[in-house]
Every structure is written in C-alpha cells, then in structure tokens.
Amino acid sequence: MSDNERPSIRKMIEDKASQKGATNAAEKTMPKLFLICAIISILTTFGIVLTLLFETVTFFSEVSIVEFLTSSEWYPMFSDPDYGIRPLLLGTFTVAAIAMVVAIPVGLAVAIYLSEYASDKKRRTIKPILEVLAGIPTIVYGFFALTFVTPVLQSVIPGLAIYNALSPGLVMGIMIIPMVASLSEDAMSAVPQSMREGAFALGATRLEVSLKVVFPAALSGIIASFVLSISRAIGETMIVTVAGGGSPAQGFDITSSMQTMTAYIVQMSLGDAGFGTTVYYSIYAVGMTLFIFTLVMNILAQFISKRFREEY
C-alpha cells in the first residue's frame, strides 16, 4: 500500500465512524421524540374529555338528567326553558339515516367495481376523483345543498321547506361515499388472490366471486367502514347547520326543518348563549352526548371488525 493511499483509507474509516455515530444518535433520539408526540396526543384527548365532563357536570347541577334524557321538548332560550335532548337526537339520526341510504349502497358498489372489475388505468382515474370529492370543504357541501339540491327537490316535492332534513341528508351521503368506497375497497383488495382463482376454477362468474367469495371474506372491514361512516354522519356540522335549519324536530317529517346536535352547538357558539348561563353549559352537555355516541360507534366498529375477522 502506497503512502498516498493510507490517508484516503483513514478518511473513509473516519467518515464511516462519524456516520455510525450520527445514526446511533438518531436511533436514540427518535424513539423519545415519538414518545413525546404520543404523550401530547394522549394528554390532549384527556384534556378534551375532562373539559366536556366538568362543564357537563355543571349543567346537570342545574338541570335534571332525567329531564334531559326523557323530555321531548328542547327550547333552551325560552323564559321557561326545556332541555330534552330527544328532538336533537331525532334530527341527528334522521339526517344520518338519509345519508347512509345514499352512501352505503353507492359506496359499496364503487368499492366492488374498483376491487373486482376496474382495470389499473380506470382505477388510477376514479380513485383521485373520489379523493377530490372527499377533500371538498363541508361548508361548500352545505351551500350546495341549500342553493342547488333544495330547489331541485322542491320542484319534485312542492311542500318541501327551504330548510329541511332531506337535502342535507342526501348531500351528506354524497360526501361520505368516498369513505365507504375507500375503506371497503381496501378490505376487498386485502382478500388473497388465491380465493378468487379458486372460485374461478370452479366455474364461478366474476359477479359470483365478488358477492359470494370476496364480500364475505372482507365483511369485517366493510362493516367497519359502514359504522365509521355512520359516526362521521352523526358528527357532521356545517352541512346541517347551513341547510338543515334550526328548529328542533318534533317528528319524522324530513321535508321540514330539523336541528342536529352539531347544528345546535354551532348556533349557541355564535353568541346566543351568555357565558356561565345554563344555556351555555347545555353546549357541553350536547357535546358530551355527541362524544359518547361517536365513541360507542368507533368501539362497535372495532368489535364488529374483530368478530367477523375471527369467523371468516
């Protein structure tokens, strides 16, 4: 080895040592950084829950929880206020049900097409369109429901009010289609190709393979997508605020105005409720109710997903 080669070899060794030291430092630092991020997320969640809990307890110190759960009247701004959550629940679930009537069949059909029928070229074209649909701000959907969908529906349903449950429900269903389609398509794509090939070898058609082989095998993910979509519909805010109206529901008339839990929270947050009043604390009581429902829906989605995965 010549004298000229020795310094270059020594430099290479030093460079590798320094790179190894930097790698070791990163290996020690990054787990701590990830842990800090996880702790911040957990603490934020606890902060939100505790805030809801403390303010809700304050509300129920002034209003009977029995009245809140059983009364059929919700008029918090009256001189003799009523705080029965039932009309808000009725409006929330009515709009969510309309949305699911649209989102589930259409989203599932799109998922089956993308997973079992579409070519790679068509899939690369359709999926970005769905992503764009999912990325549109919900306030835009709300004004679309109010200024376009409602007038169109009024030409078909003469008695339809300008603010109603049908229009925001339909538009919300359109908004949720990408969620159902994406999650269901991911579940179907995860089914082993060997199952499809075995069914084709037995003489099954593509439709039979899709509905009798792939669909049952992916049922856990598909049902989870349905439940998560319902949770998304229950928690939707801007569409129902803009196009649904502000009158608590007294029945199942989807042609009239209905107020959801989220729409009530928005209405009161605009300044109608004075700080420290019972009406102000009712925002947190409704928020806690909404939180409990969405939490239950998410737990249900995980349970159903695990249960069907074990069976299939």
Side-chain angles (χ1 to χ4, degrees), residues 56-138:
T56 301
V57 169
T58 303
F59 172 77
F60 285 124
S61 66
E62 302 176 8
V63 177
S64 170
I65 190 172
V66 176
E67 176 190 351
F68 184 76
L69 296 176
T70 60
S71 176
S72 60
E73 302 289 336
W74 182 266
Y75 298 111
M77 302 299 292
F78 283 18
S79 57
D80 184 17
D82 291 302
Y83 292 99
I85 192 67
R86 191 186 305 173
L88 298 184
L89 291 176
L90 180 61
T92 300
F93 291 134
T94 299
V95 175
I98 296 171
M100 289 302 99
V101 169
V102 176
I104 288 180
V106 177
L108 185 58
V110 172
I112 293 175
Y113 176 77
L114 291 175
S115 175
E116 305 303 316
Y117 289 91
S119 62
D120 290 338
K121 182 178 179 181
K122 291 181 179 179
R123 191 179 295 109
R124 287 195 300 267
T125 302
I126 295 175
K127 293 203 75 171
I129 295 175
L130 291 176
E131 292 172 0
V132 170
L133 194 64
I136 297 175
T138 56

Side-chain angles (χ1 to χ4, degrees), residues 139-183:
I139 185 70
V140 176
Y141 279 112
F143 282 106
F144 172 71
L146 179 64
T147 61
F148 179 79
V149 176
T150 296
V152 171
L153 292 176
Q154 284 178 327
S155 64
V156 180
I157 308 173
L160 187 70
I162 185 66
Y163 295 106
N164 58 84
L166 181 59
S167 177
L170 294 175
V171 174
M172 191 189 302
I174 295 173
M175 181 193 69
I176 296 175
I177 286 174
M179 175 182 287
V180 177
S182 179
L183 295 176

Side-chain angles (χ1 to χ4, degrees), residues 35-310:
L35 178 61
I36 292 173
C37 293
I39 291 174
I40 292 174
S41 300
I42 294 172
L43 292 178
T44 302
T45 303
F46 274 113
I48 293 172
V49 174
L50 290 176
T51 301
L52 280 175
L53 184 61
F54 290 150
E55 303 295 355
T56 301
V57 169
T58 303
F59 172 77
F60 285 124
S61 66
E62 302 176 8
V63 177
S64 170
I65 190 172
V66 176
E67 176 190 351
F68 184 76
L69 296 176
T70 60
S71 176
S72 60
E73 302 289 336
W74 182 266
Y75 298 111
M77 302 299 292
F78 283 18
S79 57
D80 184 17
D82 291 302
Y83 292 99
I85 192 67
R86 191 186 305 173
L88 298 184
L89 291 176
L90 180 61
T92 300
F93 291 134
T94 299
V95 175
I98 296 171
M100 289 302 99
V101 169
V102 176
I104 288 180
V106 177
L108 185 58
V110 172
I112 293 175
Y113 176 77
L114 291 175
S115 175
E116 305 303 316
Y117 289 91
S119 62
D120 290 338
K121 182 178 179 181
K122 291 181 179 179
R123 191 179 295 109
R124 287 195 300 267
T125 302
I126 295 175
K127 293 203 75 171
I129 295 175
L130 291 176
E131 292 172 0
V132 170
L133 194 64
I136 297 175
T138 56
I139 185 70
V140 176
Y141 279 112
F143 282 106
F144 172 71
L146 179 64
T147 61
F148 179 79
V149 176
T150 296
V152 171
L153 292 176
Q154 284 178 327
S155 64
V156 180
I157 308 173
L160 187 70
I162 185 66
Y163 295 106
N164 58 84
L166 181 59
S167 177
L170 294 175
V171 174
M172 191 189 302
I174 295 173
M175 181 193 69
I176 296 175
I177 286 174
M179 175 182 287
V180 177
S182 179
L183 295 176
S184 299
E185 194 265 336
D186 289 342
M188 292 180 181
S189 297
V191 175
Q193 185 64 26
S194 58
M195 296 182 64
R196 297 179 176 86
E197 295 172 351
F200 285 131
L202 294 173
T205 64
R206 187 176 293 274
L207 180 61
E208 290 174 334
V209 171
S210 301
L211 299 181
K212 297 182 180 180
V213 177
V214 177
F215 182 84
L219 193 58
S220 62
I222 293 172
I223 293 180
S225 74
F226 293 168
V227 177
L228 291 175
S229 298
I230 295 172
S231 178
R232 175 70 178 86
I234 291 174
E236 170 53 36
T237 303
M238 294 312 301
I239 296 177
V240 291
T241 300
V242 172
S247 302
Q250 299 299 325
F252 291 95
D253 185 9
I254 62 175
T255 63
S256 61
S257 173
M258 285 189 177
Q259 188 174 49
T260 65
M261 290 186 285
T262 53
Y264 172 76
I265 293 173
V266 171
Q267 178 187 357
M268 293 297 105
S269 299
L270 294 177
D272 291 345
F275 178 79
T277 62
T278 305
V279 179
Y280 170 79
Y281 289 118
S282 71
I283 297 174
Y284 294 93
V286 174
M288 176 60 77
T289 305
L290 181 64
F291 172 77
I292 291 173
F293 273 106
T294 53
L295 178 63
V296 169
M297 296 301 292
N298 281 273
I299 294 174
L300 181 62
Q302 294 182 4
F303 172 78
I304 292 174
S305 178
K306 182 179 179 181
R307 181 69 177 271
F308 279 93
R309 188 179 296 115
E310 291 174 353

